[in-house]
């Protein structure tokens, strides 16, 4: 079995001040929960919005927190609150002047992870540009084909019926569907952005949205008299298990 965890939307620096300290505490709580597990994980994913404002200071904080995790590898991709330049410098050691999408492939023993940049600088909605889709297609074609491949990004490519996120989801998704349909070893698509755990399908494959660490989004039928975002509920994360035939996901509250 290949077992890995997914968290998302930690938003370090959220509103700064006391709220920023709260975002850090919740992130530390989740990472501490993972570090305290009696067993090992094969990988940990963070699917975007590592910071709230995309500043160098926030990325320095993110790099410090992620470096303390005992689980390796720890994989991540940008979200709409992230900024490509500081992200590259602090987390990847890259050139801050390079504003191309931050796409990374990780070929691990037992699985391949393609971390795609669905962000559009300066905007809340998402899109995989032509260069990213060409990169994704080529890397999937290169294999290996005997282990599952997970296509990961921040923005969900379908509506998930959240009144806040659906208008800023990933658009142009029909192009992504054509790419993944060409590669039979794609096992699932994994995203964040929703601030609520969700499971659906896309291109006849599982699409799993990780819950948010910093907050939880209420669905319309739950009411939002106090606003659609709940900061009081504890953070959550997802555990994924691929047994060679299918993906199973378990969601956990981190008290």
């Amino acid at each position: 079995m290949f077992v890995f965890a997914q968290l998302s939307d930690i938003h370090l620096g959220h509103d700064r001040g006391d709220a920023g300290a709260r975002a850090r505490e919740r992130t530390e709580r989740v990472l501490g929960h993972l570090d305290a597990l009696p067993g090992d994980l094969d990988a940990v994913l963070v699917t975007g919005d590592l910071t709230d404002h995309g500043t160098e200071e926030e990325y320095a904080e993110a790099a410090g927190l992620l470096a303390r995790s005992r689980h390796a590898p720890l994989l991540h991709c940008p979200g709409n609150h992230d900024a490509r330049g500081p992200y590259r410098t602090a987390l990847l050691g890259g050139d801050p002047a390079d504003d191309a999408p931050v796409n990374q492939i990780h070929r691990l023993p037992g699985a391949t992870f393609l971390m795609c940049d669905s962000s559009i600088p300066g905007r809340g909605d998402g899109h995989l540009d032509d260069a990213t889709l060409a990169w994704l297609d080529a890397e999937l074609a290169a294999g290996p084909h005997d282990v599952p491949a997970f296509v990961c990004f921040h923005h969900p490519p379908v509506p998930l019926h959240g009144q806040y996120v659906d208008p800023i989801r990933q658009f142009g998704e029909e192009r992504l569907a054509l790419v993944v349909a060409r590669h039979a070893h794609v096992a699932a698509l994994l995203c964040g952005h929703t601030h609520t755990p969700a499971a659906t399908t896309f291109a006849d494959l599982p699409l799993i949205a990780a819950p948010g660490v910093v907050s939880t989004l209420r669905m319309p039928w739950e009411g939002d008299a106090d606003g659609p975002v709940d900061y009081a509920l504890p953070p959550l994360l997802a555990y994924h298990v691929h047994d060679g035939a299918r993906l199973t996901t378990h969601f956990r509250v981190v008290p």
Side-chain angles (χ1 to χ4, degrees), residues 14-30:
H14 172 71
D15 287 341
R16 301 190 174 97
D18 290 343
R22 177 186 169 281
R24 179 187 177 95
E25 185 278 326
R26 289 168 73 96
T27 302
E28 289 177 325
R29 198 189 323 170
V30 171

mmCIF file with all atom_site columns, all heavy atoms in Angstrom, residues 14-30:
data_model
loop_
_atom_site.group_PDB
_atom_site.id
_atom_site.type_symbol
_atom_site.label_atom_id
_atom_site.label_alt_id
_atom_site.label_comp_id
_atom_site.label_asym_id
_atom_site.label_entity_id
_atom_site.label_seq_id
_atom_site.pdbx_PDB_ins_code
_atom_site.Cartn_x
_atom_site.Cartn_y
_atom_site.Cartn_z
_atom_site.occupancy
_atom_site.B_iso_or_equiv
_atom_site.pdbx_formal_charge
_atom_site.auth_seq_id
_atom_site.auth_comp_id
_atom_site.auth_asym_id
_atom_site.auth_atom_id
_atom_site.pdbx_PDB_model_num
ATOM 1   N N   . HIS A 1 14 ? -2.455 34.763 7.857  1.00 0.00 ? 14 HIS A N   1
ATOM 2   C CA  . HIS A 1 14 ? -3.845 35.129 7.617  1.00 0.00 ? 14 HIS A CA  1
ATOM 3   C C   . HIS A 1 14 ? -4.249 36.337 8.452  1.00 0.00 ? 14 HIS A C   1
ATOM 4   O O   . HIS A 1 14 ? -4.268 36.289 9.684  1.00 0.00 ? 14 HIS A O   1
ATOM 5   C CB  . HIS A 1 14 ? -4.755 33.948 7.937  1.00 0.00 ? 14 HIS A CB  1
ATOM 6   C CG  . HIS A 1 14 ? -6.215 34.278 7.899  1.00 0.00 ? 14 HIS A CG  1
ATOM 7   N ND1 . HIS A 1 14 ? -6.877 34.540 6.732  1.00 0.00 ? 14 HIS A ND1 1
ATOM 8   C CD2 . HIS A 1 14 ? -7.128 34.409 8.891  1.00 0.00 ? 14 HIS A CD2 1
ATOM 9   C CE1 . HIS A 1 14 ? -8.133 34.807 6.996  1.00 0.00 ? 14 HIS A CE1 1
ATOM 10  N NE2 . HIS A 1 14 ? -8.316 34.742 8.303  1.00 0.00 ? 14 HIS A NE2 1
ATOM 11  N N   . ASP A 1 15 ? -4.542 37.420 7.784  1.00 0.00 ? 15 ASP A N   1
ATOM 12  C CA  . ASP A 1 15 ? -4.956 38.672 8.416  1.00 0.00 ? 15 ASP A CA  1
ATOM 13  C C   . ASP A 1 15 ? -3.928 39.215 9.410  1.00 0.00 ? 15 ASP A C   1
ATOM 14  O O   . ASP A 1 15 ? -4.188 40.186 10.110 1.00 0.00 ? 15 ASP A O   1
ATOM 15  C CB  . ASP A 1 15 ? -6.303 38.520 9.118  1.00 0.00 ? 15 ASP A CB  1
ATOM 16  C CG  . ASP A 1 15 ? -7.441 38.431 8.123  1.00 0.00 ? 15 ASP A CG  1
ATOM 17  O OD1 . ASP A 1 15 ? -7.264 38.825 6.956  1.00 0.00 ? 15 ASP A OD1 1
ATOM 18  O OD2 . ASP A 1 15 ? -8.506 37.936 8.512  1.00 0.00 ? 15 ASP A OD2 1
ATOM 19  N N   . ARG A 1 16 ? -2.803 38.526 9.520  1.00 0.00 ? 16 ARG A N   1
ATOM 20  C CA  . ARG A 1 16 ? -1.695 38.945 10.383 1.00 0.00 ? 16 ARG A CA  1
ATOM 21  C C   . ARG A 1 16 ? -2.146 39.142 11.837 1.00 0.00 ? 16 ARG A C   1
ATOM 22  O O   . ARG A 1 16 ? -3.244 38.777 12.214 1.00 0.00 ? 16 ARG A O   1
ATOM 23  C CB  . ARG A 1 16 ? -1.019 40.184 9.800  1.00 0.00 ? 16 ARG A CB  1
ATOM 24  C CG  . ARG A 1 16 ? -0.469 39.946 8.368  1.00 0.00 ? 16 ARG A CG  1
ATOM 25  C CD  . ARG A 1 16 ? 0.400  41.097 7.919  1.00 0.00 ? 16 ARG A CD  1
ATOM 26  N NE  . ARG A 1 16 ? 1.018  40.806 6.634  1.00 0.00 ? 16 ARG A NE  1
ATOM 27  C CZ  . ARG A 1 16 ? 0.532  41.216 5.469  1.00 0.00 ? 16 ARG A CZ  1
ATOM 28  N NH1 . ARG A 1 16 ? -0.583 41.913 5.422  1.00 0.00 ? 16 ARG A NH1 1
ATOM 29  N NH2 . ARG A 1 16 ? 1.154  40.926 4.348  1.00 0.00 ? 16 ARG A NH2 1
ATOM 30  N N   . GLY A 1 17 ? -1.265 39.663 12.687 1.00 0.00 ? 17 GLY A N   1
ATOM 31  C CA  . GLY A 1 17 ? -1.603 39.868 14.094 1.00 0.00 ? 17 GLY A CA  1
ATOM 32  C C   . GLY A 1 17 ? -2.016 38.586 14.783 1.00 0.00 ? 17 GLY A C   1
ATOM 33  O O   . GLY A 1 17 ? -1.438 37.522 14.569 1.00 0.00 ? 17 GLY A O   1
ATOM 34  N N   . ASP A 1 18 ? -3.033 38.675 15.625 1.00 0.00 ? 18 ASP A N   1
ATOM 35  C CA  . ASP A 1 18 ? -3.513 37.510 16.370 1.00 0.00 ? 18 ASP A CA  1
ATOM 36  C C   . ASP A 1 18 ? -4.020 36.429 15.429 1.00 0.00 ? 18 ASP A C   1
ATOM 37  O O   . ASP A 1 18 ? -3.849 35.231 15.690 1.00 0.00 ? 18 ASP A O   1
ATOM 38  C CB  . ASP A 1 18 ? -4.625 37.917 17.332 1.00 0.00 ? 18 ASP A CB  1
ATOM 39  C CG  . ASP A 1 18 ? -4.110 38.766 18.488 1.00 0.00 ? 18 ASP A CG  1
ATOM 40  O OD1 . ASP A 1 18 ? -2.881 38.761 18.718 1.00 0.00 ? 18 ASP A OD1 1
ATOM 41  O OD2 . ASP A 1 18 ? -4.934 39.433 19.140 1.00 0.00 ? 18 ASP A OD2 1
ATOM 42  N N   . ALA A 1 19 ? -4.661 36.830 14.336 1.00 0.00 ? 19 ALA A N   1
ATOM 43  C CA  . ALA A 1 19 ? -5.161 35.843 13.386 1.00 0.00 ? 19 ALA A CA  1
ATOM 44  C C   . ALA A 1 19 ? -4.011 35.110 12.707 1.00 0.00 ? 19 ALA A C   1
ATOM 45  O O   . ALA A 1 19 ? -4.086 33.902 12.448 1.00 0.00 ? 19 ALA A O   1
ATOM 46  C CB  . ALA A 1 19 ? -6.056 36.509 12.341 1.00 0.00 ? 19 ALA A CB  1
ATOM 47  N N   . GLY A 1 20 ? -2.927 35.828 12.428 1.00 0.00 ? 20 GLY A N   1
ATOM 48  C CA  . GLY A 1 20 ? -1.758 35.176 11.854 1.00 0.00 ? 20 GLY A CA  1
ATOM 49  C C   . GLY A 1 20 ? -1.162 34.162 12.807 1.00 0.00 ? 20 GLY A C   1
ATOM 50  O O   . GLY A 1 20 ? -0.742 33.081 12.388 1.00 0.00 ? 20 GLY A O   1
ATOM 51  N N   . ALA A 1 21 ? -1.127 34.492 14.088 1.00 0.00 ? 21 ALA A N   1
ATOM 52  C CA  . ALA A 1 21 ? -0.648 33.543 15.095 1.00 0.00 ? 21 ALA A CA  1
ATOM 53  C C   . ALA A 1 21 ? -1.561 32.330 15.159 1.00 0.00 ? 21 ALA A C   1
ATOM 54  O O   . ALA A 1 21 ? -1.101 31.203 15.364 1.00 0.00 ? 21 ALA A O   1
ATOM 55  C CB  . ALA A 1 21 ? -0.564 34.228 16.457 1.00 0.00 ? 21 ALA A CB  1
ATOM 56  N N   . ARG A 1 22 ? -2.855 32.560 14.970 1.00 0.00 ? 22 ARG A N   1
ATOM 57  C CA  . ARG A 1 22 ? -3.817 31.456 14.979 1.00 0.00 ? 22 ARG A CA  1
ATOM 58  C C   . ARG A 1 22 ? -3.578 30.516 13.799 1.00 0.00 ? 22 ARG A C   1
ATOM 59  O O   . ARG A 1 22 ? -3.616 29.292 13.948 1.00 0.00 ? 22 ARG A O   1
ATOM 60  C CB  . ARG A 1 22 ? -5.233 32.029 14.918 1.00 0.00 ? 22 ARG A CB  1
ATOM 61  C CG  . ARG A 1 22 ? -6.339 31.001 14.852 1.00 0.00 ? 22 ARG A CG  1
ATOM 62  C CD  . ARG A 1 22 ? -7.692 31.684 14.636 1.00 0.00 ? 22 ARG A CD  1
ATOM 63  N NE  . ARG A 1 22 ? -8.704 30.700 14.313 1.00 0.00 ? 22 ARG A NE  1
ATOM 64  C CZ  . ARG A 1 22 ? -8.848 30.156 13.107 1.00 0.00 ? 22 ARG A CZ  1
ATOM 65  N NH1 . ARG A 1 22 ? -8.045 30.518 12.125 1.00 0.00 ? 22 ARG A NH1 1
ATOM 66  N NH2 . ARG A 1 22 ? -9.773 29.249 12.880 1.00 0.00 ? 22 ARG A NH2 1
ATOM 67  N N   . ALA A 1 23 ? -3.317 31.068 12.611 1.00 0.00 ? 23 ALA A N   1
ATOM 68  C CA  . ALA A 1 23 ? -3.039 30.235 11.442 1.00 0.00 ? 23 ALA A CA  1
ATOM 69  C C   . ALA A 1 23 ? -1.783 29.400 11.672 1.00 0.00 ? 23 ALA A C   1
ATOM 70  O O   . ALA A 1 23 ? -1.739 28.216 11.316 1.00 0.00 ? 23 ALA A O   1
ATOM 71  C CB  . ALA A 1 23 ? -2.896 31.106 10.198 1.00 0.00 ? 23 ALA A CB  1
ATOM 72  N N   . ARG A 1 24 ? -0.769 30.007 12.274 1.00 0.00 ? 24 ARG A N   1
ATOM 73  C CA  . ARG A 1 24 ? 0.455  29.268 12.553 1.00 0.00 ? 24 ARG A CA  1
ATOM 74  C C   . ARG A 1 24 ? 0.190  28.148 13.560 1.00 0.00 ? 24 ARG A C   1
ATOM 75  O O   . ARG A 1 24 ? 0.656  27.012 13.387 1.00 0.00 ? 24 ARG A O   1
ATOM 76  C CB  . ARG A 1 24 ? 1.539  30.208 13.091 1.00 0.00 ? 24 ARG A CB  1
ATOM 77  C CG  . ARG A 1 24 ? 2.836  29.472 13.423 1.00 0.00 ? 24 ARG A CG  1
ATOM 78  C CD  . ARG A 1 24 ? 3.852  30.363 14.106 1.00 0.00 ? 24 ARG A CD  1
ATOM 79  N NE  . ARG A 1 24 ? 5.036  29.594 14.457 1.00 0.00 ? 24 ARG A NE  1
ATOM 80  C CZ  . ARG A 1 24 ? 6.129  29.518 13.718 1.00 0.00 ? 24 ARG A CZ  1
ATOM 81  N NH1 . ARG A 1 24 ? 6.205  30.169 12.572 1.00 0.00 ? 24 ARG A NH1 1
ATOM 82  N NH2 . ARG A 1 24 ? 7.158  28.793 14.126 1.00 0.00 ? 24 ARG A NH2 1
ATOM 83  N N   . GLU A 1 25 ? -0.567 28.457 14.619 1.00 0.00 ? 25 GLU A N   1
ATOM 84  C CA  . GLU A 1 25 ? -0.851 27.438 15.636 1.00 0.00 ? 25 GLU A CA  1
ATOM 85  C C   . GLU A 1 25 ? -1.596 26.259 15.033 1.00 0.00 ? 25 GLU A C   1
ATOM 86  O O   . GLU A 1 25 ? -1.304 25.098 15.356 1.00 0.00 ? 25 GLU A O   1
ATOM 87  C CB  . GLU A 1 25 ? -1.659 28.061 16.770 1.00 0.00 ? 25 GLU A CB  1
ATOM 88  C CG  . GLU A 1 25 ? -1.912 27.141 17.955 1.00 0.00 ? 25 GLU A CG  1
ATOM 89  C CD  . GLU A 1 25 ? -3.084 26.184 17.745 1.00 0.00 ? 25 GLU A CD  1
ATOM 90  O OE1 . GLU A 1 25 ? -4.067 26.576 17.077 1.00 0.00 ? 25 GLU A OE1 1
ATOM 91  O OE2 . GLU A 1 25 ? -3.016 25.034 18.249 1.00 0.00 ? 25 GLU A OE2 1
ATOM 92  N N   . ARG A 1 26 ? -2.558 26.521 14.181 1.00 0.00 ? 26 ARG A N   1
ATOM 93  C CA  . ARG A 1 26 ? -3.319 25.437 13.558 1.00 0.00 ? 26 ARG A CA  1
ATOM 94  C C   . ARG A 1 26 ? -2.433 24.603 12.632 1.00 0.00 ? 26 ARG A C   1
ATOM 95  O O   . ARG A 1 26 ? -2.537 23.372 12.581 1.00 0.00 ? 26 ARG A O   1
ATOM 96  C CB  . ARG A 1 26 ? -4.526 26.003 12.828 1.00 0.00 ? 26 ARG A CB  1
ATOM 97  C CG  . ARG A 1 26 ? -5.610 26.525 13.771 1.00 0.00 ? 26 ARG A CG  1
ATOM 98  C CD  . ARG A 1 26 ? -6.662 27.336 13.038 1.00 0.00 ? 26 ARG A CD  1
ATOM 99  N NE  . ARG A 1 26 ? -7.550 26.509 12.231 1.00 0.00 ? 26 ARG A NE  1
ATOM 100 C CZ  . ARG A 1 26 ? -8.753 26.062 12.632 1.00 0.00 ? 26 ARG A CZ  1
ATOM 101 N NH1 . ARG A 1 26 ? -9.193 26.349 13.856 1.00 0.00 ? 26 ARG A NH1 1
ATOM 102 N NH2 . ARG A 1 26 ? -9.508 25.348 11.837 1.00 0.00 ? 26 ARG A NH2 1
ATOM 103 N N   . THR A 1 27 ? -1.542 25.260 11.903 1.00 0.00 ? 27 THR A N   1
ATOM 104 C CA  . THR A 1 27 ? -0.614 24.530 11.042 1.00 0.00 ? 27 THR A CA  1
ATOM 105 C C   . THR A 1 27 ? 0.326  23.671 11.873 1.00 0.00 ? 27 THR A C   1
ATOM 106 O O   . THR A 1 27 ? 0.565  22.492 11.553 1.00 0.00 ? 27 THR A O   1
ATOM 107 C CB  . THR A 1 27 ? 0.195  25.514 10.177 1.00 0.00 ? 27 THR A CB  1
ATOM 108 O OG1 . THR A 1 27 ? -0.700 26.310 9.400  1.00 0.00 ? 27 THR A OG1 1
ATOM 109 C CG2 . THR A 1 27 ? 1.143  24.771 9.247  1.00 0.00 ? 27 THR A CG2 1
ATOM 110 N N   . GLU A 1 28 ? 0.859  24.236 12.950 1.00 0.00 ? 28 GLU A N   1
ATOM 111 C CA  . GLU A 1 28 ? 1.731  23.464 13.827 1.00 0.00 ? 28 GLU A CA  1
ATOM 112 C C   . GLU A 1 28 ? 0.995  22.278 14.437 1.00 0.00 ? 28 GLU A C   1
ATOM 113 O O   . GLU A 1 28 ? 1.569  21.195 14.611 1.00 0.00 ? 28 GLU A O   1
ATOM 114 C CB  . GLU A 1 28 ? 2.284  24.358 14.934 1.00 0.00 ? 28 GLU A CB  1
ATOM 115 C CG  . GLU A 1 28 ? 3.305  25.383 14.450 1.00 0.00 ? 28 GLU A CG  1
ATOM 116 C CD  . GLU A 1 28 ? 3.782  26.292 15.555 1.00 0.00 ? 28 GLU A CD  1
ATOM 117 O OE1 . GLU A 1 28 ? 2.955  26.615 16.451 1.00 0.00 ? 28 GLU A OE1 1
ATOM 118 O OE2 . GLU A 1 28 ? 4.967  26.684 15.542 1.00 0.00 ? 28 GLU A OE2 1
ATOM 119 N N   . ARG A 1 29 ? -0.292 22.486 14.752 1.00 0.00 ? 29 ARG A N   1
ATOM 120 C CA  . ARG A 1 29 ? -1.086 21.409 15.334 1.00 0.00 ? 29 ARG A CA  1
ATOM 121 C C   . ARG A 1 29 ? -1.228 20.242 14.361 1.00 0.00 ? 29 ARG A C   1
ATOM 122 O O   . ARG A 1 29 ? -1.076 19.074 14.729 1.00 0.00 ? 29 ARG A O   1
ATOM 123 C CB  . ARG A 1 29 ? -2.464 21.934 15.735 1.00 0.00 ? 29 ARG A CB  1
ATOM 124 C CG  . ARG A 1 29 ? -3.201 21.042 16.710 1.00 0.00 ? 29 ARG A CG  1
ATOM 125 C CD  . ARG A 1 29 ? -4.638 21.452 16.941 1.00 0.00 ? 29 ARG A CD  1
ATOM 126 N NE  . ARG A 1 29 ? -4.885 22.887 16.962 1.00 0.00 ? 29 ARG A NE  1
ATOM 127 C CZ  . ARG A 1 29 ? -6.108 23.410 16.951 1.00 0.00 ? 29 ARG A CZ  1
ATOM 128 N NH1 . ARG A 1 29 ? -7.176 22.614 16.910 1.00 0.00 ? 29 ARG A NH1 1
ATOM 129 N NH2 . ARG A 1 29 ? -6.276 24.709 16.983 1.00 0.00 ? 29 ARG A NH2 1
ATOM 130 N N   . VAL A 1 30 ? -1.513 20.554 13.102 1.00 0.00 ? 30 VAL A N   1
ATOM 131 C CA  . VAL A 1 30 ? -1.680 19.498 12.103 1.00 0.00 ? 30 VAL A CA  1
ATOM 132 C C   . VAL A 1 30 ? -0.354 18.795 11.838 1.00 0.00 ? 30 VAL A C   1
ATOM 133 O O   . VAL A 1 30 ? -0.288 17.552 11.787 1.00 0.00 ? 30 VAL A O   1
ATOM 134 C CB  . VAL A 1 30 ? -2.269 20.080 10.804 1.00 0.00 ? 30 VAL A CB  1
ATOM 135 C CG1 . VAL A 1 30 ? -2.237 19.036 9.691  1.00 0.00 ? 30 VAL A CG1 1
ATOM 136 C CG2 . VAL A 1 30 ? -3.697 20.554 11.041 1.00 0.00 ? 30 VAL A CG2 1
#
